[in-house]
Amino acid sequence: MRTLAEENYLKAIYNLSQNETGATASKLSEKLNVKLPTINSMVNKLADKELVEYQKYKGFILTEKGQKQALEVIRKHRLTELFLVKIMGFGWEEVHDIAEEVEHIKSPLFFEKMDLILSNPKYDPHGAPIPDKNGKLPKTNLKLLANIEIGKTVRFVAVSDSSSDFLSYLSRVGISLYSNIEIIDREVFDGLLKIKVNKITTTLSGQVAEKILVE
Amino acid sequence: MRTLAEENYLKAIYNLSQNETGATASKLSEKLNVKLPTINSMVNKLADKELVEYQKYKGFILTEKGQKQALEVIRKHRLTELFLVKIMGFGWEEVHDIAEEVEHIKSPLFFEKMDLILSNPKYDPHGAPIPDKNGKLPKTNLKLLANIEIGKTVRFVAVSDSSSDFLSYLSRVGISLYSNIEIIDREVFDGLLKIKVNKITTTLSGQVAEKILVE
DNA sequence: ATAATTTGTTAGACTTGTCTAACAAATATA
DNA sequence: TATATTTGTTAGACAAGTCTAACAAATTAT
Ligand SMILES: [Mn+2]
Ligand SMILES: [Mn+2]
Ligand SMILES: [Mn+2]
Ligand SMILES: [Mn+2]
Protein backbone atom coordinates (compact mmCIF):
# COMPACT_ATOMS: atom_id res chain seq x y z
CA MET A 1 0.00 0.00 0.00
CA ARG A 2 1.40 3.31 -1.19
CA THR A 3 1.39 6.01 1.46
CA LEU A 4 0.32 9.61 0.99
CA ALA A 5 3.89 10.85 1.40
CA GLU A 6 5.17 8.36 -1.15
CA GLU A 7 2.55 9.50 -3.65
CA ASN A 8 3.58 13.12 -3.23
CA TYR A 9 7.24 12.26 -3.75
CA LEU A 10 6.51 10.26 -6.90
CA LYS A 11 4.43 13.06 -8.33
CA ALA A 12 7.01 15.70 -7.50
CA ILE A 13 9.85 13.67 -8.99
CA TYR A 14 7.80 13.06 -12.12
CA ASN A 15 7.04 16.74 -12.52
CA LEU A 16 10.65 17.80 -11.97
CA SER A 17 11.85 15.21 -14.47
CA GLN A 18 9.81 16.98 -17.14
CA ASN A 19 12.17 19.99 -16.97
CA GLU A 20 15.53 19.69 -18.68
CA THR A 21 17.20 20.26 -15.31
CA GLY A 22 15.85 16.98 -13.93
CA ALA A 23 15.04 16.01 -10.35
CA THR A 24 17.63 16.87 -7.71
CA ALA A 25 17.49 16.69 -3.94
CA SER A 26 17.40 20.44 -3.43
CA LYS A 27 14.64 21.02 -5.95
CA LEU A 28 12.53 18.26 -4.39
CA SER A 29 13.21 19.73 -0.99
CA GLU A 30 11.90 23.07 -2.10
CA LYS A 31 8.90 21.67 -3.92
CA LEU A 32 7.78 19.45 -1.05
CA ASN A 33 8.71 21.87 1.73
CA VAL A 34 10.82 19.32 3.46
CA LYS A 35 14.45 19.54 4.59
CA LEU A 36 17.22 18.01 2.52
CA PRO A 37 18.06 15.02 4.74
CA THR A 38 14.41 14.01 4.67
CA ILE A 39 14.55 13.90 0.89
CA ASN A 40 17.62 11.79 1.12
CA SER A 41 16.10 9.18 3.38
CA MET A 42 12.82 9.04 1.47
CA VAL A 43 14.51 8.71 -1.91
CA ASN A 44 16.60 5.87 -0.50
CA LYS A 45 13.40 4.13 0.54
CA LEU A 46 11.84 4.68 -2.87
CA ALA A 47 14.99 3.25 -4.44
CA ASP A 48 14.71 0.16 -2.20
CA LYS A 49 11.18 -0.29 -3.51
CA GLU A 50 12.49 0.11 -7.06
CA LEU A 51 10.39 3.17 -7.76
CA VAL A 52 13.33 5.49 -8.44
CA GLU A 53 16.83 4.97 -9.71
CA TYR A 54 19.42 6.81 -7.75
CA GLN A 55 23.17 7.15 -7.47
CA LYS A 56 24.79 9.29 -4.83
CA TYR A 57 25.35 12.89 -5.87
CA LYS A 58 23.60 12.27 -9.20
CA GLY A 59 19.90 13.14 -9.47
CA PHE A 60 17.01 10.67 -9.44
CA ILE A 61 14.76 9.33 -12.14
CA LEU A 62 11.64 7.22 -11.85
CA THR A 63 11.73 3.59 -12.89
CA GLU A 64 9.03 2.29 -15.23
CA LYS A 65 7.11 1.16 -12.15
CA GLY A 66 7.60 4.50 -10.40
CA GLN A 67 6.45 6.42 -13.44
CA LYS A 68 3.32 4.31 -13.74
CA GLN A 69 2.44 4.99 -10.14
CA ALA A 70 3.17 8.71 -10.48
CA LEU A 71 0.84 8.89 -13.47
CA GLU A 72 -1.94 7.18 -11.51
CA VAL A 73 -1.77 9.92 -8.92
CA ILE A 74 -1.54 12.64 -11.56
CA ARG A 75 -4.62 11.19 -13.23
CA LYS A 76 -6.53 11.42 -9.95
CA HIS A 77 -5.30 14.97 -9.37
CA ARG A 78 -6.32 16.27 -12.78
CA LEU A 79 -9.65 14.43 -12.89
CA THR A 80 -10.42 15.93 -9.50
CA GLU A 81 -9.56 19.44 -10.63
CA LEU A 82 -11.86 19.17 -13.61
CA PHE A 83 -14.64 17.68 -11.50
CA LEU A 84 -14.34 20.53 -9.01
CA VAL A 85 -14.62 23.12 -11.78
CA LYS A 86 -17.19 21.49 -14.04
CA ILE A 87 -19.47 19.75 -11.58
CA MET A 88 -18.98 21.59 -8.31
CA GLY A 89 -18.62 25.12 -9.68
CA PHE A 90 -15.20 26.06 -8.30
CA GLY A 91 -13.01 28.59 -10.10
CA TRP A 92 -9.85 27.31 -11.82
CA GLU A 93 -7.75 29.17 -9.26
CA GLU A 94 -9.36 27.36 -6.30
CA VAL A 95 -8.93 23.73 -7.23
CA HIS A 96 -5.25 22.82 -7.08
CA ASP A 97 -4.93 22.72 -3.30
CA ILE A 98 -8.13 20.72 -2.86
CA ALA A 99 -7.01 18.23 -5.53
CA GLU A 100 -3.69 17.92 -3.71
CA GLU A 101 -5.69 16.25 -0.94
CA VAL A 102 -8.36 14.41 -2.91
CA GLU A 103 -5.79 12.71 -5.17
CA HIS A 104 -4.88 10.45 -2.24
CA ILE A 105 -8.33 8.88 -1.88
CA LYS A 106 -7.82 5.15 -2.43
CA SER A 107 -11.27 4.15 -3.77
CA PRO A 108 -10.90 3.52 -7.52
CA LEU A 109 -14.70 3.72 -7.85
CA PHE A 110 -14.67 7.35 -6.77
CA PHE A 111 -12.43 8.37 -9.65
CA GLU A 112 -14.08 6.05 -12.15
CA LYS A 113 -17.35 7.81 -11.40
CA MET A 114 -15.73 11.21 -11.96
CA ASP A 115 -14.37 9.97 -15.25
CA LEU A 116 -17.82 8.74 -16.24
CA ILE A 117 -19.58 11.95 -15.23
CA LEU A 118 -17.02 14.01 -17.14
CA SER A 119 -17.11 11.60 -20.13
CA ASN A 120 -13.46 10.61 -20.32
CA PRO A 121 -12.02 14.09 -20.30
CA LYS A 122 -8.64 14.73 -21.92
CA TYR A 123 -7.53 17.98 -20.24
CA ASP A 124 -7.72 19.49 -16.77
CA PRO A 125 -8.87 23.10 -16.14
CA HIS A 126 -5.28 24.34 -16.48
CA GLY A 127 -4.85 22.73 -19.88
CA ALA A 128 -2.72 19.82 -18.61
CA PRO A 129 -3.49 16.45 -20.19
CA ILE A 130 -5.18 13.81 -18.03
CA PRO A 131 -3.38 10.44 -18.29
CA ASP A 132 -5.76 7.70 -19.37
CA LYS A 133 -6.41 4.53 -17.32
CA ASN A 134 -3.20 2.99 -18.67
CA GLY A 135 -1.10 6.03 -17.90
CA LYS A 136 -0.91 7.17 -21.53
CA LEU A 137 -0.59 10.88 -22.21
CA PRO A 138 -1.24 12.60 -25.53
CA LYS A 139 2.02 14.13 -26.65
CA THR A 140 1.64 17.85 -26.96
CA ASN A 141 4.06 20.25 -28.53
CA LEU A 142 3.51 23.50 -26.73
CA LYS A 143 5.54 26.69 -26.82
CA LEU A 144 6.06 29.39 -24.24
CA LEU A 145 4.32 32.66 -24.93
CA ALA A 146 7.70 34.24 -24.05
CA ASN A 147 9.26 32.69 -27.17
CA ILE A 148 6.67 33.57 -29.80
CA GLU A 149 7.70 36.00 -32.53
CA ILE A 150 6.22 39.46 -32.74
CA GLY A 151 3.23 39.64 -35.07
CA LYS A 152 2.08 36.05 -34.60
CA THR A 153 -1.26 35.05 -33.08
CA VAL A 154 -1.38 31.97 -30.86
CA ARG A 155 -3.92 30.08 -28.81
CA PHE A 156 -3.51 29.94 -25.04
CA VAL A 157 -3.92 26.25 -24.13
CA ALA A 158 -2.21 25.68 -20.77
CA VAL A 159 -0.42 27.20 -17.81
CA SER A 160 2.68 25.82 -16.16
CA ASP A 161 1.78 27.27 -12.75
CA SER A 162 -1.60 26.49 -11.14
CA SER A 163 -1.14 28.61 -8.04
CA SER A 164 -4.14 30.61 -6.99
CA ASP A 165 -2.14 33.85 -7.17
CA PHE A 166 -1.08 33.37 -10.77
CA LEU A 167 -4.47 32.18 -12.03
CA SER A 168 -6.34 34.95 -10.26
CA TYR A 169 -4.00 37.43 -11.87
CA LEU A 170 -4.73 36.04 -15.35
CA SER A 171 -8.47 36.18 -14.71
CA ARG A 172 -8.14 39.73 -13.44
CA VAL A 173 -6.41 40.90 -16.60
CA GLY A 174 -8.95 39.08 -18.76
CA ILE A 175 -6.85 36.24 -20.11
CA SER A 176 -8.59 32.89 -20.00
CA LEU A 177 -7.74 29.45 -21.34
CA TYR A 178 -8.28 29.05 -25.10
CA SER A 179 -8.14 32.80 -25.78
CA ASN A 180 -6.26 33.88 -28.89
CA ILE A 181 -3.29 36.07 -28.14
CA GLU A 182 -1.60 38.34 -30.64
CA ILE A 183 1.98 39.42 -29.92
CA ILE A 184 2.16 43.14 -30.55
CA ASP A 185 5.61 43.93 -29.22
CA ARG A 186 8.36 42.68 -26.92
CA GLU A 187 10.95 44.66 -24.97
CA VAL A 188 14.36 43.08 -25.60
CA PHE A 189 15.76 44.14 -22.22
CA ASP A 190 13.35 42.24 -19.95
CA GLY A 191 10.87 40.48 -22.22
CA LEU A 192 8.00 42.81 -21.30
CA LEU A 193 5.22 41.86 -23.68
CA LYS A 194 2.47 43.84 -25.36
CA ILE A 195 -0.38 41.57 -26.46
CA LYS A 196 -3.91 41.80 -27.79
CA VAL A 197 -6.61 39.51 -26.36
CA ASN A 198 -10.26 39.88 -27.30
CA LYS A 199 -9.48 43.20 -28.95
CA ILE A 200 -7.99 44.57 -25.75
CA THR A 201 -4.31 45.45 -25.50
CA THR A 202 -2.50 44.46 -22.31
CA THR A 203 1.06 44.27 -21.07
CA LEU A 204 2.53 41.16 -19.44
CA SER A 205 5.85 40.78 -17.67
CA GLY A 206 8.48 38.37 -18.95
CA GLN A 207 7.93 36.07 -15.93
CA VAL A 208 4.26 35.74 -16.70
CA ALA A 209 4.94 35.06 -20.40
CA GLU A 210 7.18 32.17 -19.27
CA LYS A 211 4.23 30.46 -17.58
CA ILE A 212 1.80 30.63 -20.48
CA LEU A 213 1.80 27.73 -22.93
CA VAL A 214 0.47 28.25 -26.41
CA GLU A 215 0.10 26.52 -29.73
CA MET B 1 -3.65 19.93 13.40
CA ARG B 2 -5.92 16.94 13.94
CA THR B 3 -4.60 13.76 12.35
CA LEU B 4 -6.60 11.23 10.39
CA ALA B 5 -6.23 8.63 13.15
CA GLU B 6 -7.39 11.07 15.79
CA GLU B 7 -10.47 11.91 13.75
CA ASN B 8 -11.37 8.25 13.42
CA TYR B 9 -11.00 7.71 17.16
CA LEU B 10 -13.16 10.72 18.01
CA LYS B 11 -15.86 9.60 15.63
CA ALA B 12 -15.82 6.02 16.92
CA ILE B 13 -15.96 7.14 20.54
CA TYR B 14 -18.83 9.46 19.75
CA ASN B 15 -20.76 6.71 18.02
CA LEU B 16 -20.19 4.20 20.81
CA SER B 17 -21.27 6.75 23.41
CA GLN B 18 -24.68 6.90 21.74
CA ASN B 19 -25.39 3.33 22.92
CA GLU B 20 -26.36 2.83 26.55
CA THR B 21 -23.29 0.60 26.95
CA GLY B 22 -20.91 3.52 26.37
CA ALA B 23 -17.39 3.52 24.93
CA THR B 24 -14.98 0.92 26.27
CA ALA B 25 -11.50 -0.06 25.16
CA SER B 26 -12.53 -3.43 23.77
CA LYS B 27 -15.44 -2.03 21.78
CA LEU B 28 -13.23 0.67 20.28
CA SER B 29 -10.63 -1.95 19.51
CA GLU B 30 -13.15 -3.96 17.57
CA LYS B 31 -14.67 -0.97 15.80
CA LEU B 32 -11.33 0.45 14.67
CA ASN B 33 -9.64 -2.88 13.99
CA VAL B 34 -6.76 -2.08 16.22
CA LYS B 35 -5.32 -4.05 19.13
CA LEU B 36 -6.21 -3.16 22.71
CA PRO B 37 -2.88 -1.61 23.78
CA THR B 38 -3.05 0.73 20.80
CA ILE B 39 -6.42 1.97 22.01
CA ASN B 40 -4.93 2.51 25.40
CA SER B 41 -2.06 4.62 24.19
CA MET B 42 -4.19 6.63 21.78
CA VAL B 43 -6.88 7.35 24.36
CA ASN B 44 -4.19 8.53 26.72
CA LYS B 45 -3.00 10.96 24.07
CA LEU B 46 -6.54 12.18 23.45
CA ALA B 47 -6.95 12.68 27.19
CA ASP B 48 -3.74 14.77 27.28
CA LYS B 49 -5.23 16.94 24.57
CA GLU B 50 -8.44 17.21 26.63
CA LEU B 51 -10.56 15.60 23.97
CA VAL B 52 -11.72 12.67 26.11
CA GLU B 53 -12.18 12.14 29.81
CA TYR B 54 -10.75 8.92 31.02
CA GLN B 55 -10.10 7.07 34.27
CA LYS B 56 -8.34 3.73 34.34
CA TYR B 57 -10.63 0.74 34.03
CA LYS B 58 -13.63 3.02 33.52
CA GLY B 59 -14.75 3.82 29.98
CA PHE B 60 -14.15 7.07 28.12
CA ILE B 61 -16.40 9.98 27.25
CA LEU B 62 -15.73 12.93 24.98
CA THR B 63 -15.21 16.36 26.48
CA GLU B 64 -17.20 19.28 25.09
CA LYS B 65 -14.24 20.03 22.83
CA GLY B 66 -13.90 16.39 21.75
CA GLN B 67 -17.58 16.15 20.95
CA LYS B 68 -17.47 19.31 18.87
CA GLN B 69 -14.58 17.90 16.82
CA ALA B 70 -16.28 14.51 16.43
CA LEU B 71 -19.38 16.22 15.08
CA GLU B 72 -17.33 18.17 12.55
CA VAL B 73 -16.02 14.91 11.14
CA ILE B 74 -19.47 13.29 11.23
CA ARG B 75 -20.84 16.29 9.35
CA LYS B 76 -18.23 15.80 6.64
CA HIS B 77 -18.93 12.08 6.48
CA ARG B 78 -22.67 12.43 6.09
CA LEU B 79 -22.52 15.35 3.67
CA THR B 80 -20.13 13.30 1.56
CA GLU B 81 -22.42 10.27 1.55
CA LEU B 82 -25.35 12.35 0.37
CA PHE B 83 -23.23 14.07 -2.26
CA LEU B 84 -22.06 10.71 -3.57
CA VAL B 85 -25.63 9.45 -3.88
CA LYS B 86 -27.40 12.58 -5.08
CA ILE B 87 -24.79 14.21 -7.29
CA MET B 88 -22.48 11.40 -8.33
CA GLY B 89 -25.06 8.65 -8.73
CA PHE B 90 -23.70 6.05 -6.31
CA GLY B 91 -26.02 3.58 -4.59
CA TRP B 92 -26.65 3.97 -0.86
CA GLU B 93 -24.75 0.72 -0.23
CA GLU B 94 -21.59 2.01 -1.93
CA VAL B 95 -20.94 5.26 -0.16
CA HIS B 96 -19.92 4.55 3.43
CA ASP B 97 -16.41 3.33 2.71
CA ILE B 98 -15.67 6.17 0.30
CA ALA B 99 -16.96 8.72 2.84
CA GLU B 100 -14.72 7.13 5.46
CA GLU B 101 -11.82 8.47 3.39
CA VAL B 102 -13.27 11.73 2.08
CA GLU B 103 -14.30 12.90 5.58
CA HIS B 104 -10.61 13.59 6.31
CA ILE B 105 -10.15 16.18 3.57
CA LYS B 106 -9.12 19.39 5.35
CA SER B 107 -10.40 22.02 2.89
CA PRO B 108 -13.52 23.60 4.46
CA LEU B 109 -14.43 25.04 1.05
CA PHE B 110 -14.89 21.54 -0.36
CA PHE B 111 -17.59 20.68 2.15
CA GLU B 112 -19.17 24.12 2.07
CA LYS B 113 -19.64 23.64 -1.66
CA MET B 114 -21.27 20.24 -1.11
CA ASP B 115 -23.58 21.81 1.44
CA LEU B 116 -24.47 24.55 -1.04
CA ILE B 117 -25.06 22.14 -3.94
CA LEU B 118 -27.26 19.95 -1.73
CA SER B 119 -29.04 23.03 -0.23
CA ASN B 120 -28.29 22.48 3.45
CA PRO B 121 -29.45 18.90 3.65
CA LYS B 122 -30.70 17.55 6.97
CA TYR B 123 -30.28 13.77 6.50
CA ASP B 124 -27.76 11.45 4.90
CA PRO B 125 -28.76 8.58 2.56
CA HIS B 126 -29.06 6.23 5.53
CA GLY B 127 -31.46 8.52 7.36
CA ALA B 128 -28.88 9.79 9.85
CA PRO B 129 -29.09 13.49 10.65
CA ILE B 130 -26.31 15.76 9.34
CA PRO B 131 -24.97 18.05 12.10
CA ASP B 132 -25.21 21.72 11.10
CA LYS B 133 -22.17 24.04 10.93
CA ASN B 134 -22.34 24.54 14.70
CA GLY B 135 -22.56 20.84 15.45
CA LYS B 136 -26.27 20.94 16.27
CA LEU B 137 -28.32 17.81 15.59
CA PRO B 138 -32.12 17.63 15.37
CA LYS B 139 -33.29 15.38 18.17
CA THR B 140 -35.09 12.41 16.75
CA ASN B 141 -37.14 9.87 18.62
CA LEU B 142 -36.85 6.70 16.60
CA LYS B 143 -37.90 3.18 17.47
CA LEU B 144 -36.53 -0.16 16.39
CA LEU B 145 -38.70 -2.11 14.00
CA ALA B 146 -38.04 -5.05 16.33
CA ASN B 147 -40.06 -3.35 19.09
CA ILE B 148 -43.16 -2.27 17.18
CA GLU B 149 -46.47 -3.92 18.10
CA ILE B 150 -48.22 -6.25 15.73
CA GLY B 151 -50.80 -4.50 13.58
CA LYS B 152 -49.12 -1.08 13.52
CA THR B 153 -47.81 0.61 10.39
CA VAL B 154 -44.60 2.62 10.65
CA ARG B 155 -42.34 4.60 8.38
CA PHE B 156 -38.79 3.37 7.75
CA VAL B 157 -36.59 6.43 8.27
CA ALA B 158 -33.08 5.21 9.08
CA VAL B 159 -30.72 2.26 9.41
CA SER B 160 -28.23 1.71 12.21
CA ASP B 161 -25.84 -0.25 10.00
CA SER B 162 -24.54 1.23 6.74
CA SER B 163 -22.49 -1.73 5.63
CA SER B 164 -22.73 -2.62 1.99
CA ASP B 165 -23.91 -6.15 2.83
CA PHE B 166 -26.83 -5.03 4.94
CA LEU B 167 -27.98 -2.28 2.59
CA SER B 168 -27.73 -4.50 -0.47
CA TYR B 169 -29.86 -7.04 1.33
CA LEU B 170 -32.55 -4.47 2.04
CA SER B 171 -32.57 -3.31 -1.56
CA ARG B 172 -32.75 -6.91 -2.75
CA VAL B 173 -35.87 -7.61 -0.67
CA GLY B 174 -37.45 -4.35 -1.81
CA ILE B 175 -37.25 -2.31 1.38
CA SER B 176 -36.10 1.24 0.81
CA LEU B 177 -35.84 4.30 3.03
CA TYR B 178 -39.17 6.03 3.69
CA SER B 179 -41.25 2.95 2.84
CA ASN B 180 -44.25 2.26 5.05
CA ILE B 181 -44.01 -1.05 6.87
CA GLU B 182 -46.97 -2.87 8.39
CA ILE B 183 -46.23 -5.42 11.11
CA ILE B 184 -48.23 -8.53 10.28
CA ASP B 185 -46.86 -10.99 12.81
CA ARG B 186 -43.90 -11.70 15.05
CA GLU B 187 -42.55 -15.04 16.27
CA VAL B 188 -42.00 -14.81 20.04
CA PHE B 189 -39.16 -17.33 20.06
CA ASP B 190 -36.69 -15.48 17.80
CA GLY B 191 -38.39 -12.27 16.73
CA LEU B 192 -38.87 -13.44 13.15
CA LEU B 193 -41.05 -10.78 11.58
CA LYS B 194 -43.75 -10.89 8.93
CA ILE B 195 -44.24 -7.45 7.35
CA LYS B 196 -46.05 -5.85 4.43
CA VAL B 197 -44.20 -3.28 2.30
CA ASN B 198 -45.74 -1.85 -0.89
CA LYS B 199 -48.44 -4.50 -0.72
CA ILE B 200 -45.85 -7.28 -0.68
CA THR B 201 -45.45 -9.56 2.30
CA THR B 202 -41.90 -10.42 3.39
CA THR B 203 -40.22 -12.05 6.34
CA LEU B 204 -37.29 -10.45 8.18
CA SER B 205 -35.05 -11.97 10.83
CA GLY B 206 -34.88 -10.53 14.31
CA GLN B 207 -31.32 -9.28 13.70
CA VAL B 208 -32.41 -7.31 10.68
CA ALA B 209 -35.40 -5.84 12.53
CA GLU B 210 -32.95 -4.56 15.17
CA LYS B 211 -31.16 -2.45 12.56
CA ILE B 212 -34.20 -0.75 11.09
CA LEU B 213 -35.27 2.54 12.67
CA VAL B 214 -38.84 3.70 12.26
CA GLU B 215 -41.23 6.40 13.39
C1' DA C 1 -15.29 -17.47 48.26
C1' DT C 2 -12.35 -19.09 45.00
C1' DA C 3 -11.10 -19.89 40.50
C1' DA C 4 -11.52 -19.01 35.64
C1' DT C 5 -12.31 -15.78 32.13
C1' DT C 6 -12.56 -11.43 30.16
C1' DT C 7 -11.08 -6.86 29.91
C1' DG C 8 -7.66 -3.29 30.55
C1' DT C 9 -2.80 -1.71 31.31
C1' DT C 10 2.30 -1.40 31.02
C1' DA C 11 6.62 -2.14 28.85
C1' DG C 12 9.13 -2.26 25.03
C1' DA C 13 9.79 -2.68 20.01
C1' DC C 14 9.10 -1.18 15.15
C1' DT C 15 7.89 1.72 10.87
C1' DT C 16 7.06 6.06 8.70
C1' DG C 17 8.17 10.54 8.05
C1' DT C 18 10.19 14.26 9.79
C1' DC C 19 13.99 17.23 12.05
C1' DT C 20 19.05 19.31 13.42
C1' DA C 21 23.97 19.02 13.53
C1' DA C 22 28.07 17.70 11.42
C1' DC C 23 30.53 16.59 7.54
C1' DA C 24 31.71 15.57 2.49
C1' DA C 25 31.45 16.25 -2.46
C1' DA C 26 30.70 19.16 -6.31
C1' DT C 27 30.61 23.55 -8.26
C1' DA C 28 31.57 28.40 -8.65
C1' DT C 29 34.69 32.29 -7.68
C1' DA C 30 38.82 34.60 -7.02
C1' DT D 1 44.61 26.29 -8.74
C1' DA D 2 43.05 27.28 -4.22
C1' DT D 3 39.19 28.77 -1.71
C1' DA D 4 34.48 29.64 -0.83
C1' DT D 5 29.85 28.39 -1.57
C1' DT D 6 26.31 25.36 -2.60
C1' DT D 7 24.49 20.94 -2.68
C1' DG D 8 24.15 16.30 -0.90
C1' DT D 9 24.91 12.74 2.77
C1' DT D 10 25.27 10.50 7.35
C1' DA D 11 24.18 10.10 12.10
C1' DG D 12 21.09 10.40 15.47
C1' DA D 13 16.78 12.11 17.57
C1' DC D 14 11.74 12.41 17.81
C1' DA D 15 6.44 12.09 17.30
C1' DA D 16 2.69 9.30 15.57
C1' DG D 17 0.62 5.06 15.34
C1' DT D 18 0.93 0.47 15.51
C1' DC D 19 2.27 -4.26 17.40
C1' DT D 20 3.41 -8.48 20.96
C1' DA D 21 4.32 -10.23 25.49
C1' DA D 22 3.51 -10.00 30.21
C1' DC D 23 0.74 -8.80 33.85
C1' DA D 24 -3.22 -6.77 36.68
C1' DA D 25 -8.03 -5.64 37.60
C1' DA D 26 -12.76 -6.65 37.07
C1' DT D 27 -16.29 -9.77 36.11
C1' DT D 28 -18.41 -14.26 35.78
C1' DA D 29 -18.88 -19.02 36.93
C1' DT D 30 -18.31 -22.74 40.07
MN1 LIG E 1 -2.98 20.95 -9.99
MN1 LIG F 1 -1.04 15.52 -2.64
MN1 LIG G 1 -21.51 6.17 6.88
MN1 LIG H 1 -12.43 7.80 8.31
Side-chain angles (χ1 to χ4, degrees), chain B residues 26 40 54 56-57:
Chain B
S26 51
N40 219 266
Y54 160 58
K56 276 191 197 174
Y57 297 101

Side-chain angles (χ1 to χ4, degrees), chain B residues 77 81 96 126 162:
Chain B
H77 181 101
E81 287 187 341
H96 177 81
H126 310 122
S162 347

Side-chain angles (χ1 to χ4, degrees), chain A:
Chain A
M1 183 81 303
R2 230 161 35 197
T3 64
L4 182 148
E6 246 176 57
E7 294 192 335
N8 284 335
Y9 278 83
L10 290 173
K11 202 157 56 91
I13 294 170
Y14 179 90
N15 286 326
L16 287 174
S17 311
Q18 301 305 99
N19 307 334
E20 326 66 66
T21 40
T24 65
S26 52
K27 274 187 283 159
L28 251 193
S29 166
E30 203 194 340
K31 190 152 192 165
L32 295 173
N33 266 299
V34 145
K35 301 292 185 209
L36 264 173
T38 307
I39 298 298
N40 219 266
S41 81
M42 282 298 285
V43 169
N44 271 296
K45 277 182 208 164
L46 293 174
D48 288 349
K49 296 190 179 182
E50 302 190 297
L51 296 167
V52 307
E53 235 154 298
Y54 159 60
Q55 284 160 269
K56 275 192 198 173
Y57 297 100
K58 307 281 184 307
F60 351 102
I61 54 168
L62 294 175
T63 61
E64 197 86 353
K65 192 173 150 198
Q67 176 153 329
K68 199 179 145 269
Q69 296 200 15
L71 284 164
E72 282 171 24
V73 183
I74 289 169
R75 174 171 164 81
K76 290 177 176 186
H77 182 101
R78 293 182 181 167
L79 265 179
T80 299
E81 288 187 340
L82 193 66
F83 184 86
L84 291 169
V85 168
K86 282 281 172 59
I87 308 300
M88 296 188 73
F90 281 98
W92 72 335
E93 78 287 355
E94 302 179 286
V95 298
H96 177 80
D97 290 350
I98 302 177
E100 203 58 52
E101 295 193 69
V102 175
E103 67 189 0
H104 304 291
I105 300 287
K106 301 286 176 298
S107 166
L109 269 185
F110 185 52
F111 297 99
E112 276 166 29
K113 195 68 96 176
M114 281 188 189
D115 190 49
L116 183 76
I117 290 172
L118 296 165
S119 333
N120 277 271
K122 298 284 172 281
Y123 295 93
D124 84 5
H126 309 121
I130 300 173
D132 73 14
K133 273 155 202 163
N134 309 306
K136 284 269 178 314
L137 277 172
K139 58 173 78 60
T140 45
N141 187 18
L142 304 183
K143 292 175 186 130
L144 298 180
L145 184 65
N147 299 336
I148 303 298
E149 295 164 54
I150 295 169
K152 294 230 159 155
T153 296
V154 291
R155 195 169 128 87
F156 171 27
V157 296
V159 291
S160 66
D161 172 356
S162 346
S163 70
S164 171
D165 285 352
F166 177 59
L167 298 175
S168 301
Y169 167 71
L170 291 185
S171 301
R172 205 166 340 115
V173 299
I175 299 177
S176 53
L177 212 59
Y178 310 127
S179 313
N180 288 312
I181 301 179
E182 184 187 348
I183 315 290
I184 306 294
D185 199 9
R186 174 182 291 110
E187 175 56 56
V188 180
F189 175 64
D190 56 5
L192 195 75
L193 207 63
K194 201 164 287 176
I195 60 171
K196 201 191 267 183
V197 185
N198 297 322
K199 290 160 189 164
I200 294 163
T201 302
T202 323
T203 304
L204 298 182
S205 71
Q207 297 104 280
V208 166
E210 291 278 349
K211 297 176 165 193
I212 292 180
L213 299 162
V214 300
E215 64 177 17

Side-chain angles (χ1 to χ4, degrees), chain B residues 12-23 62 67 78 137:
Chain B
I13 295 169
Y14 179 89
N15 286 327
L16 288 174
S17 311
Q18 300 306 98
N19 307 335
E20 326 66 65
T21 39
L62 295 174
Q67 175 152 331
R78 295 183 181 167
L137 277 172

Side-chain angles (χ1 to χ4, degrees), chain B residues 63-136:
Chain B
T63 61
E64 196 86 354
K65 192 173 149 196
Q67 175 152 331
K68 198 178 147 269
Q69 297 199 15
L71 285 164
E72 281 171 26
V73 183
I74 289 169
R75 174 173 165 80
K76 290 177 176 186
H77 181 101
R78 295 183 181 167
L79 265 179
T80 299
E81 287 187 341
L82 192 67
F83 183 86
L84 291 169
V85 169
K86 281 283 173 60
I87 307 300
M88 295 188 73
F90 281 98
W92 73 334
E93 79 287 354
E94 302 179 286
V95 299
H96 177 81
D97 290 350
I98 303 177
E100 203 58 51
E101 295 193 71
V102 175
E103 69 189 0
H104 304 292
I105 300 287
K106 301 286 175 299
S107 165
L109 267 184
F110 185 52
F111 297 98
E112 276 166 30
K113 194 69 95 178
M114 282 187 189
D115 190 49
L116 182 76
I117 290 171
L118 296 165
S119 330
N120 278 272
K122 299 282 172 280
Y123 295 93
D124 83 7
H126 310 122
I130 300 173
D132 72 13
K133 273 156 202 161
N134 309 307
K136 284 269 178 314

